[in-house]
Amino acid sequence: MTHFSKNQKITVVGAGLAGSECALQLADLGYEVVLFEMRDKTMTPAHKTAKFAELVCSNSFGSMGEHSAPGQLKWEAQKLNSHILQVAYEAQVPAGQALGMDREVFSALITERIKNHPRIEIRNDVVSSLDQIPRPAVIATGPLTHDSLAESMRQHFGDEFLYFFDAIAPIIDADTINTDIAWKADRYDKGTGDYYNCPMNKEQYNAFIEEIQKARKIEPKDFETTDFFEGCMPIEVMVERGPQTLRFGPMKPIGLDDPRTGRYPWAVVQLRQDNKEATAYNMVGFQTRMAYGEQVRVFRMIPGLENAEFLKLGSIHRNLFINSPKRLNKDLSSKNDPWLFFAGQITGVEGYFESTCTGLMVSRFLDQKLKDKPFSPPPRESAFGSLLEAITDPTRAEHFQPTNINFALLPPLPEKERDKEVRKKKQITIARSALESWVN
């Protein structure tokens, strides 16, 4: 096996969430890092700026709930001194139980932190081949990897990548929300009343669904045979599964009583604050591939959004990911090259914060390897360990699909527990104990 010295520079390709976290962690550990980011010269179909860790799809890292799986992942990341999590709290905006951020503030702070780190060298170049970068290296280019590098990866792994759509939800000018209709509340009043809720009765809902079905869609030919990820599915694809699907998904009204009636409506569209100034709100779960003009027409049918001005309309782009259980080792290095590591969505995790956590893990795995320490992954009982297991378990290779962190990934309790809430609390307790032992 090739050995590298502590003074050896480590190459990280991609300054998204995973790459930024990985580069900062490695630099903190004392390594010299060369961070490649192409976006100063070459933009992707989805990014709008050249700033690092730009949030494209949503401005939320998901639940912070103490007894939720995403909340546990954040608890563990905090114990591991995640830079991305620290900055997320600095850029936080009200979002109920979720960790929402001001996109511009967040990416600006991460960019500043990276540019000011004395051990990180930034290179704004396109990496077009795996052969052009020295080892050790971490590829964290995300779902929008440059075509030439994606082709190089395909040749490296010897089989086709897997593709799926990712879709972006529209963002609305807060001043154009009709607050005579839309009211602020969180589901079951569990948060601090941060979401705007736009109610629909049965007739309005049915008319809305009909117009979604009739609206013109943008369907690029390259994407026609690919699948959508369940957690980021366009609303029109959900509607194809049945006209009531949205009422049991992003338009679920349960726990949102309309103050004008004292009851929850037939359906609800929720809007989540998108920036610190509260001048922009995004439509929760309303990813779409409808044509821009159609989006404006259809979404203005929503009560409370009759005069909505859209700061950003929904769009779709292609994602790619490796069949990690088949092609990567447990430490997220390539089975064909043990000094070539992968992190972020390209490994088959789905979700901003899950991507971040793989970057954090890879920094630790590389450090272990460079110091000739035995491989020590996060414990299986932890959220980190469960996420790692989900993307490296060989039994998942045949039907591998991207995954968010969820309780189904955590190991079941040794004893049967029928009460779901009690079961979750016990799993969290076990996860925290295991993670703390590993950190110490």
Side-chain angles (χ1 to χ4, degrees):
M1 180 183 289
T2 306
H3 287 273
F4 297 95
S5 69
K6 177 76 183 282
N7 298 323
Q8 176 77 30
K9 287 187 177 181
I10 299 173
T11 301
V12 177
V13 184
L17 291 163
S20 295
E21 181 73 66
C22 189
L24 286 164
Q25 292 289 340
L26 288 167
D28 284 351
L29 287 165
Y31 297 101
E32 297 294 323
V33 178
V34 178
L35 177 62
F36 282 87
E37 174 51 59
M38 70 176 185
R39 274 184 292 122
D40 200 34
K41 295 180 178 178
T42 305
M43 295 301 289
T44 73
H47 288 88
K48 303 298 181 188
T49 76
K51 290 190 175 75
F52 303 153
E54 181 183 337
L55 303 177
V56 174
C57 184
S58 163
N59 73 319
S60 171
F61 277 174
S63 176
M64 294 186 293
E66 188 179 359
H67 296 119
S68 70
Q72 175 59 20
L73 195 67
K74 293 175 188 66
W75 184 92
E76 295 180 14
Q78 193 162 22
K79 291 287 182 183
L80 296 169
N81 300 312
S82 164
H83 282 271
I84 293 290
L85 186 61
Q86 290 166 15
V87 172
Y89 284 127
E90 289 180 48
Q92 188 173 5
V93 297
Q97 288 189 301
L99 177 53
M101 293 85 67
D102 181 306
R103 298 168 195 261
E104 293 184 11
V105 171
F106 174 79
S107 59
L109 287 171
I110 287 290
T111 303
E112 181 184 10
R113 192 174 282 212
I114 289 173
K115 286 185 174 180
N116 290 338
H117 204 297
R119 284 190 286 274
I120 299 179
E121 174 191 346
I122 299 163
R123 294 188 189 172
N124 291 118
D125 293 314
V126 174
V127 174
S128 56
S129 170
L130 295 175
D131 296 332
Q132 79 180 73
I133 49 174
R135 310 298 193 258
V138 180
I139 307 299
T141 47
L144 296 166
T145 297
H146 193 275
D147 287 346
S148 57
L149 182 58
E151 173 58 23
S152 177
M153 288 188 217
R154 189 192 66 78
Q155 292 176 8
H156 174 82
F157 288 117
D159 61 3
E160 294 291 337
F161 276 112
L162 303 169
Y163 293 91
F164 66 97
F165 283 120
D166 201 1
I168 299 170
I171 298 175
I172 295 167
D173 183 338
D175 288 340
T176 64
I177 299 168
N178 182 356
T179 55
D180 290 335
I181 295 175
W183 79 98
K184 274 197 159 184
D186 294 318
R187 207 175 296 278
Y188 297 110
D189 295 321
K190 282 189 174 180
T192 52
D194 301 320
Y195 290 80
Y196 273 115
N197 299 280
C198 303
M200 279 189 185
N201 60 33
K202 186 175 182 180
E203 292 72 25
Q204 290 168 329
Y205 176 83
N206 290 338
F208 181 63
I209 296 301
E210 187 177 339
E211 291 306 312
I212 290 175
Q213 292 171 321
K214 289 178 358 187
R216 185 169 66 86
K217 318 298 190 301
I218 302 297
E219 300 185 46
K221 290 181 180 178
D222 289 348
F223 298 164
E224 285 177 354
T225 59
T226 55
D227 296 323
F228 290 101
F229 172 62
E230 289 285 337
C232 202
M233 185 170 289
I235 55 167
E236 57 273 9
V237 176
M238 286 190 259
V239 168
E240 288 171 6
R241 297 181 172 185
Q244 300 302 313
T245 305
L246 290 182
R247 287 188 62 237
F248 294 91
M251 293 182 70
K252 181 170 61 178
I254 305 298
L256 293 167
D257 292 338
D258 188 334
R260 295 174 302 173
T261 65
R263 297 175 300 171
Y264 58 81
W266 185 255
V268 168
V269 174
Q270 287 198 300
L271 310 177
R272 179 174 56 219
Q273 187 174 327
D274 203 75
N275 60 2
K276 275 191 178 291
E277 296 78 18
T279 58
Y281 278 77
N282 63 63
M283 300 176 69
V284 178
F286 266 67
Q287 300 83 215
T288 181
R289 59 181 180 177
M290 286 191 285
Y292 283 172
E294 296 286 72
Q295 289 183 47
V296 174
R297 178 181 68 81
V298 174
F299 293 151
R300 282 182 177 168
M301 294 176 65
I302 299 169
L305 301 184
E306 307 87 1
N307 300 305
E309 294 296 329
F310 294 88
L311 303 174
K312 185 176 182 180
L313 288 161
S315 62
I316 60 170
H317 53 270
R318 184 190 68 182
N319 274 343
L320 62 81
F321 59 97
I322 301 163
N323 188 336
S324 295
K326 189 176 181 181
R327 297 299 176 190
L328 299 185
N329 295 309
K330 280 285 184 183
D331 63 359
L332 298 179
S333 64
S334 167
K335 290 184 178 179
N336 296 334
D337 182 345
W339 288 102
L340 180 64
F341 291 77
F342 293 83
Q345 278 186 265
I346 203 165
T347 64
V349 293
E350 181 58 30
Y352 282 150
F353 203 66
E354 287 84 342
S355 297
T356 299
C357 292
T358 61
L360 203 164
M361 281 191 274
V362 164
S363 69
R364 286 186 163 243
F365 298 158
L366 239 176
D367 183 52
Q368 291 169 9
K369 202 165 195 172
L370 286 165
K371 291 175 179 171
D372 287 325
K373 291 181 178 179
F375 175 55
S376 173
R380 176 67 181 87
E381 297 86 356
S382 67
F384 265 73
S386 295
L387 191 64
L388 182 65
E389 179 72 8
I391 60 173
T392 57
D393 178 5
T395 63
R396 299 174 185 261
E398 189 176 349
H399 302 291
F400 186 57
Q401 280 291 307
T403 183
N404 297 95
I405 187 66
N406 58 76
F407 274 104
L409 300 185
L410 271 64
L413 295 172
E415 74 286 348
K416 206 164 189 177
E417 175 57 64
R418 291 175 182 251
D419 188 308
K420 187 166 73 172
E421 294 306 311
V422 172
R423 185 168 67 246
K424 286 180 179 180
K425 286 179 182 179
K426 286 184 177 180
Q427 285 178 294
I428 293 293
T429 300
I430 292 169
R432 292 189 175 186
S433 175
L435 195 281
E436 284 190 317
S437 297
W438 183 69
V439 170
N440 294 332

